[in-house]
Amino acid sequence: MLGVLGRCVTTSNLLGLSRTSYSISRLLSAMTKPNVIFVLGGPGAGKGTQCAKIVENFGYVHLSAGDLLRAERKAPGSEFGELIEHHITNGTIVPVEITCSLLERAMNESEKNDFLIDGFPRNEDNLTGWNKAMGEKVNLKRVLFFHCSQDVCTERCLARGAAGSGRTDDNEESLRKRFVTYENATMPIIRYYEEKGFVTQIDATRTPEEVYAEVETVLKSL
């Protein structure tokens, strides 16, 4: 009887240890995953400006999907350069496999663990591709949605272009196409994350200082 009881206790203890080890393993895995905040909003909503402030004050790494794509487009010998140029000029969305690959490479090359991903995911294909390639590799903490009217955004982008931004898409024709893409493709993604409780909507029509005051409050709550 004692032998049987001893075996039962031993088995129970082993099962308990197994469950504990599994829990610790999952916790360590979560701790080593990069922490990600998606930053979404229309062209000219001020995403880059706010990301710069977050980087300065909270130490996040700012990864702009658009900047990564533009850098890859200009990289000597890039196999994706011409394809990226075509999509950027026409205001359409670059294939998700390319964008995910560039984002993952940038995260792997960084020594930090907290990332702002700016301007991604932009459509259902982006979302599906991200969830498939990266969903289990990161901890998604929040989606910051900078909401701003098309008129205000257009005015900002044109002013940015006139000031010499060097961006080929800071012109009225490209902006019209980009806003159509944003409304039809990106807004459903924002609603998707909103339903899951990840979205914080921020009024981006205000001054950068006023917008950041709200952003700071959100970041401190995470």
Side-chain angles (χ1 to χ4, degrees), residues 79-144:
E79 62 179 305
F80 304 123
E82 288 188 13
L83 178 62
I84 293 171
E85 171 68 24
H86 170 78
H87 283 285
I88 288 178
T89 302
N90 286 279
T92 51
I93 294 173
V94 175
V96 65
E97 293 82 7
I98 297 174
T99 309
C100 280
S101 175
L102 296 177
L103 288 167
E104 183 172 16
R105 183 173 72 189
M107 285 191 280
N108 288 339
E109 291 175 352
S110 174
E111 296 180 353
K112 295 189 176 182
N113 205 50
D114 296 317
F115 298 92
L116 301 167
I117 297 184
D118 170 8
F120 184 90
R122 291 192 175 190
N123 65 2
E124 186 175 352
D125 182 56
N126 277 185
L127 178 63
T128 301
W130 171 267
N131 286 340
K132 181 179 179 181
M134 300 296 295
E136 295 299 318
K137 297 179 181 180
V138 304
N139 295 316
L140 179 60
K141 306 291 288 184
R142 180 64 47 184
V143 177
L144 295 179

Side-chain angles (χ1 to χ4, degrees), residues 6 8 13 15 28 48 52 57 66 74 82 96 143 150 159 162 167 177 179 181 184 188-189 200 202 219:
C8 289
N13 288 343
L15 287 172
L28 290 173
N57 294 295
K74 295 177 181 178
E82 288 188 13
V96 65
V143 177
Q150 182 171 335
R167 292 181 52 163
K177 294 176 181 178
F179 274 111
T181 300
N184 293 338
I189 303 308
T200 296
I202 296 171
L219 267 290

